[in-house]
Amino acid sequence: MTISTKVLIIGSGPAGLSAAIYTARAGLEPILFQGSQPGGQLTITTDVENYPGFADIIQGPWLMEQMTKQAEHVGTKVIYEHVTKIDLLKKPFIAITDSGNHYQAESVIICTGASAKWLGIESEKFFQGHGISGCATCDGFFFKGKEVLVVGGGNSAVEEALYLTNHASKVTIIHRRDSFRAEKILQERLFKHPKISVIWNHTLIEAIGNTNPKIVTGAKIQNTISGVISELNCDGIFIAIGHKPNTDLFKGQLTIDNEGYIITQPDSTRTNIEGVFAAGDVQDKIFRQAVTAAGTGCMAALEAEKYLSGLHC
């Protein structure tokens, strides 16, 4: 079965849903695919305090549920399928889903986001959202006056550690090597900061805490040289080993940088293919916030509307 639409939106996080709301209100009747993680990264985020418009703390899954309802209310058709293949090299664009349906589109807005890289240990998953986080900007406020650990050694880890000094009383970085990969200027700032200490040649092997309620109280770390295991007290753990943009579907078609992010034109969401736009974390490796993702989703919608107007004038 082949279904046609003017606007096809892939991804259902803040970027995708904002794009859907704007294109639907423009009368473009968009089709949005929920994908493999409906709601994006906010569905695994518990307390959200930095999204504008809410005086009290809200829950990430609730926010995504409300945005989805809003998108549907104004005319978006939400499809609970996953796009497995897409052809962007000829027009109209064709997307094929896991159910075998074919969707034909005049324009495509890509909002597939990025996934935080995790260590893969069992306790990490158990305490995720309850003391373990992958975003200091999102969750740092909840550790005001507390002691936290940061795991990693690149720019992300050093930037997260420096940011956390605005809230935490003490920040300890754990790195598996004896030197950082981060930019030298960031390292200089970090080494000079009185709140930050570094533990070299160690890896996190287990988060320690209570189960009811879930709360992190410490960590088990292992020396990568001697193998000796030790314990540290802490109130939170931030995993900062990078993000992986979800762009495998578009490789060989769109221009992508060496980290896997879709490259868009300056001050725009336009990609190298006319009629294809990218918004949110799939093309933003700097800010990675729900509100900035929503903003670029709005931009993509407005640019798609302008593009389609040119086709039909």
Side-chain angles (χ1 to χ4, degrees):
M1 180 172 66
T2 300
I3 300 150
S4 297
T5 182
K6 290 180 180 177
V7 183
L8 198 66
I9 302 170
I10 307 174
S12 56
L17 290 169
S18 295
I21 291 165
Y22 273 80
T23 51
R25 293 187 74 250
L28 298 175
E29 300 179 335
I31 290 177
L32 177 143
F33 292 107
Q34 283 271 13
S36 57
Q37 188 179 20
Q41 294 187 67
L42 274 183
T43 57
I44 58 171
T45 302
T46 51
D47 294 343
V48 175
E49 197 174 34
N50 57 0
Y51 197 87
F54 302 95
D56 297 320
I57 294 173
I58 58 173
Q59 301 298 301
W62 177 85
L63 178 60
M64 291 298 91
E65 180 185 341
Q66 294 300 306
M67 289 182 73
T68 302
K69 288 179 178 179
Q70 183 181 6
E72 290 179 312
H73 177 74
V74 293
T76 302
K77 185 175 183 180
V78 177
I79 306 295
Y80 295 88
E81 296 179 25
H82 179 62
V83 176
T84 56
K85 186 177 181 181
I86 189 165
D87 187 352
L88 300 174
L89 300 181
K90 62 177 183 290
K91 297 178 181 178
F93 307 115
I94 300 292
I96 303 172
T97 66
D98 49 3
S99 65
N101 288 327
H102 287 58
Y103 291 83
Q104 182 175 286
E106 295 181 31
S107 65
V108 175
I109 301 177
I110 298 167
C111 306
T112 47
S115 303
K117 294 179 182 178
W118 300 96
L119 298 172
I121 57 178
E122 187 176 342
S123 56
E124 173 188 59
K125 185 175 182 180
F126 181 79
F127 286 110
Q128 196 170 309
H130 299 275
I132 289 185
S133 171
C135 178
T137 312
C138 310
D139 300 325
F141 180 82
F142 301 111
F143 296 89
K144 198 169 186 66
K146 297 183 178 180
E147 297 185 7
V148 298
L149 304 181
V150 175
V151 180
N155 281 354
S156 295
V158 173
E159 288 171 350
E160 298 267 279
L162 287 167
Y163 175 81
L164 285 166
T165 60
N166 295 317
H167 304 291
S169 59
K170 181 181 179 183
V171 179
T172 303
I173 296 190
I174 301 169
H175 186 40
R176 59 183 177 174
R177 299 189 178 95
D178 60 0
S179 63
F180 289 130
R181 302 185 310 279
E183 296 173 4
K184 295 300 180 184
I185 190 168
L186 290 175
Q187 293 190 43
E188 289 172 7
R189 288 177 58 201
L190 180 136
F191 291 134
K192 289 177 181 177
H193 205 290
K195 282 188 178 181
I196 300 176
S197 61
V198 182
I199 298 179
W200 302 110
N201 299 313
H202 277 77
T203 57
L204 175 70
I205 60 171
E206 185 182 352
I208 302 170
N210 300 326
T211 58
N212 190 20
K214 288 184 183 180
I215 184 171
V216 168
T217 58
K220 282 187 181 179
I221 61 174
Q222 184 172 31
N223 189 298
T224 56
I225 298 172
S226 67
V228 173
I229 295 173
S230 54
E231 292 187 11
L232 295 174
N233 293 324
C234 67
D235 302 294
I237 303 172
F238 289 82
I239 311 298
I241 56 176
H243 287 75
K244 182 184 182 300
N246 302 317
T247 53
D248 289 347
L249 192 63
F250 316 107
K251 288 180 178 177
Q253 302 185 81
L254 295 178
T255 302
I256 293 172
D257 71 11
N258 58 5
E259 295 178 74
Y261 290 87
I262 294 174
I263 296 175
T264 52
Q265 297 181 29
D267 301 318
S268 172
T269 63
R270 288 175 291 162
T271 68
N272 61 297
I273 296 178
E274 189 177 15
V276 179
F277 309 87
D281 289 10
V282 76
Q283 54 86 229
D284 170 24
K285 57 185 173 183
I286 299 174
F287 301 106
R288 297 197 303 266
Q289 298 299 301
V291 68
T292 52
T296 55
C298 167
M299 290 169 58
L302 296 176
E303 290 187 294
E305 181 185 2
K306 184 177 180 180
Y307 167 76
L308 291 168
S309 296
L311 289 183
H312 298 285
C313 64

